[in-house]
Amino acid sequence: MKKFLKVTAVVMVFAMLACFAACGADDKGAEKGTLVMATNAAFPPYEYKEGDAFVGIDIEIAQAIADKLDMTLEIKDVEFGSIIGGVQTGKFDMGIAGMTVTDERLKSVNFSTSYATGIQVVIVASGSDIKSLDDLKGDGSMKFGVQQDTTGDIYASDTAENGGYGEDNVIRYKTGADAVQALKAGKVQAVIIDNEPAKAFVEANEGLEILDAEWAREDYAIAIAKENTELLEKVNNALAELKDEGKLAEIINKYIPAK
Ligand code: GLN
């Protein structure tokens, strides 16, 4: 009987030790927080899909930040216009979507330090009468295609005195790709969009060209809820490290090879 007790005790100690090891590891796994990023994966080369996988500059930057924070990255692919609201309410921890820092958006969210420059350009049909920015007119003679809620939309829809073409002359599409299809179909005569996606769309579609001019120059940054200053600081530190390590340039060069 005594021996039996002894064996039982030994088994129990082993069982406890095994549990310590296994449960300990489990606890650690559970402790690793999730960093939820919202994006709109129709914006190559910043975010797009290859099969089921999310790829692009923003995806890799977000992953590198999550690695530095020892967190698991979770990607939510949503409409561009719902990113800021979702960040504001805490549905998403951050918005990374080739997102331009604007005064208006700064009223709703904070932005990290900028990690890239974006340029708004104009795509037209090859051989179009529109040869320069001066040929763009808000007099009803042409329609402008934009991706809804982007800076291209916001600026183009503005009044003439603010440099826009008027809301009535702008047609909003869910994605830049849809705006480009409308251009090909002759429904709009110009598409105003960020330069890198513009290049990707022109490459993928025949009969289009980009005007050799900058319509606007902007900074891309990561949107974070105003009250989440702790995450903002962590993200800014991570971005600074990625910059110092050359990792940021490496990611950008991978998708936008320097000429
Ligand atoms: N840079 C533009 C903006 O912030 C477009 C971004 C996008 O379409 N993903 O509005």
Side-chain angles (χ1 to χ4, degrees):
M1 187 60 193
K2 239 183 171 178
K3 197 173 175 198
F4 174 72
L5 278 176
K6 227 178 181 174
V7 170
T8 311
V10 168
V11 167
M12 273 173 69
V13 167
F14 267 107
M16 273 166 68
L17 282 177
C19 184
F20 264 126
C23 304
D26 267 5
D27 277 346
K28 211 167 164 224
E31 265 168 34
K32 194 164 165 169
T34 306
L35 187 63
V36 181
M37 93 174 237
T39 196
N40 174 248
F43 197 71
Y46 289 92
E47 42 267 330
Y48 55 104
K49 287 186 98 174
E50 255 172 27
D52 282 338
F54 292 106
V55 289
I57 294 170
D58 289 344
I59 308 293
E60 294 207 19
I61 291 176
Q63 185 59 61
I65 291 171
D67 289 347
K68 284 204 179 284
L69 304 188
D70 195 25
M71 294 177 89
T72 306
L73 183 71
E74 191 181 322
I75 302 169
K76 302 270 193 207
D77 187 14
V78 301
E79 272 181 28
F80 184 77
S82 66
I83 296 175
I84 299 244
V87 167
Q88 234 182 332
T89 58
K91 192 169 167 193
F92 317 124
D93 297 315
M94 52 183 195
I96 314 189
M99 191 178 282
T100 304
V101 180
T102 70
D103 289 344
E104 196 57 34
R105 290 174 182 164
L106 276 166
K107 288 180 190 162
S108 311
V109 290
N110 278 333
F111 278 102
S112 69
T113 46
S114 176
Y115 62 87
T117 303
I119 299 166
Q120 294 293 317
V121 294
V122 182
I123 312 177
V124 295
S126 309
S128 158
D129 290 344
I130 304 170
K131 306 273 183 228
S132 76
L133 299 185
D134 291 340
D135 297 329
L136 298 172
K137 304 238 177 325
D139 59 3
S141 63
M142 58 184 71
K143 294 273 184 225
F144 298 84
V146 295
Q147 183 187 359
Q148 192 166 357
D149 297 317
T150 61
T151 44
D153 176 10
I154 297 160
Y155 302 151
S157 305
D158 213 333
T159 54
E161 59 261 33
N162 288 333
Y165 306 110
E167 195 147 15
D168 292 348
N169 298 314
V170 172
I171 304 183
R172 302 182 165 108
Y173 296 91
K174 250 193 180 163
T175 63
D178 290 345
V180 165
Q181 290 314 310
L183 177 63
K184 282 179 81 177
K187 289 182 188 145
V188 299
Q189 283 63 55
V191 168
I192 298 177
I193 193 163
D194 305 49
N195 60 333
E196 289 304 331
K199 280 192 233 162
F201 291 140
V202 167
E203 214 162 276
N205 291 276
E206 261 174 57
L208 301 177
E209 58 186 51
I210 302 172
L211 293 187
D212 188 15
E214 290 186 10
W215 196 70
R217 187 170 266 263
E218 339 186 286
D219 291 325
Y220 290 167
I222 302 173
I224 294 171
K226 282 214 187 269
E227 53 286 355
N228 203 351
T229 49
E230 195 188 325
L231 181 64
L232 181 70
E233 199 184 319
K234 283 186 189 167
V235 166
N236 278 340
N237 288 340
L239 277 174
E241 279 177 29
L242 291 170
K243 209 172 200 173
D244 288 349
E245 292 159 6
K247 178 81 182 160
L248 196 59
E250 190 187 299
I251 293 172
I252 293 174
N253 288 338
K254 178 175 159 190
Y255 289 91
I256 310 174
K259 273 167 229 131

